[in-house]
Amino acid sequence: MKSIRMAAAILALGTTAAFAANPEVGGAPMYETKNIVENAVNSKDHTTLVAAVQAAGLVETLSGAGPFTVFAPTNAAFEKLPAGTVETLLKPENKDQLTKILTCHVVAANALSGAIEKMVADDKGMHPVKTVGGCEFTAMMDGDKIQIKDGQNNVATVTIADVKQSNGVIHVIDTVLLPAM
């Protein structure tokens, strides 16, 4: 009986440690057992992204099996876009453009930061990143921070890396990535 209690205590500690390792995003815990959409809706820093995903009809896709790596821009990242851009993109007649922009934030892989850093190093400082939306961006490093250069030479920095999900991983970024014009 004592061994069973000891094993249960060790198992409980291991489970707590696994969840504790996943960072909070937008003041909300992120659970490895939930998918990208289930976690994102709880982040107060990603309300614009969630609204955009809903407007583009991508909720079902990003709730799917994956694996997906999502570079998730914060509300502040969207605020850096020219005035009126978000409101315009959210209109039904601009769904295709919105979908293109959002899917350019998604890679069809489960790419944790260590793997991205290795790819950048192996490629002598710049690694091409092909997205689900057909964009090709460039991953690079600035010290110990991962950065992504988009099709318009904007550079996003990963501010929170390795937010594990049941269907992939989220890396929070400070800039919206845009396709080449």
Side-chain angles (χ1 to χ4, degrees):
M1 188 64 145
K2 194 175 195 178
S3 326
I4 293 173
R5 275 189 255 138
M6 180 67 85
I10 290 170
L11 187 60
L13 284 173
T15 303
T16 303
F19 284 116
N22 222 17
E24 282 194 1
V25 176
M30 298 287 117
Y31 299 102
E32 289 185 50
T33 57
K34 292 186 176 186
N35 68 45
I36 290 165
V37 174
E38 291 170 330
N39 275 318
V41 297
N42 294 314
S43 168
K44 69 178 175 18
D45 292 342
H46 289 89
T47 56
T48 304
L49 178 60
V50 168
V53 166
Q54 291 168 337
L58 294 172
V59 170
E60 187 175 332
T61 301
L62 292 175
S63 297
F68 303 112
T69 296
V70 175
F71 294 97
T74 60
N75 295 339
F78 282 99
E79 289 168 9
K80 291 176 10 182
L81 294 171
T85 301
V86 173
E87 294 76 12
T88 300
L89 287 170
L90 291 176
K91 291 181 180 177
E93 61 268 25
N94 297 319
K95 183 179 178 181
D96 289 345
Q97 186 181 9
L98 177 62
T99 300
K100 173 75 171 178
I101 290 169
L102 292 175
T103 56
C104 283
H105 287 80
V106 181
V107 178
N110 189 3
L112 294 172
S113 62
I116 296 169
E117 291 167 8
K118 182 178 182 332
M119 288 183 269
V120 169
D122 289 349
D123 286 344
K124 298 179 181 27
M126 299 185 134
H127 178 74
V129 176
K130 294 184 187 211
T131 70
V132 170
C135 294
E136 185 168 310
F137 296 153
T138 303
M140 53 197 178
M141 299 297 297
D142 181 21
D144 64 348
K145 294 281 188 185
I146 295 170
Q147 293 186 316
I148 307 291
K149 185 188 294 184
D150 71 12
Q152 297 182 25
N153 290 320
N154 299 307
V155 177
T157 299
V158 173
T159 58
I160 303 174
D162 297 338
V163 186
K164 297 173 187 167
Q165 316 289 299
S166 65
N167 60 345
V169 62
I170 291 174
H171 301 292
V172 177
I173 57 174
D174 64 357
T175 302
V176 176
L177 301 170
L178 299 171
M181 300 206 47

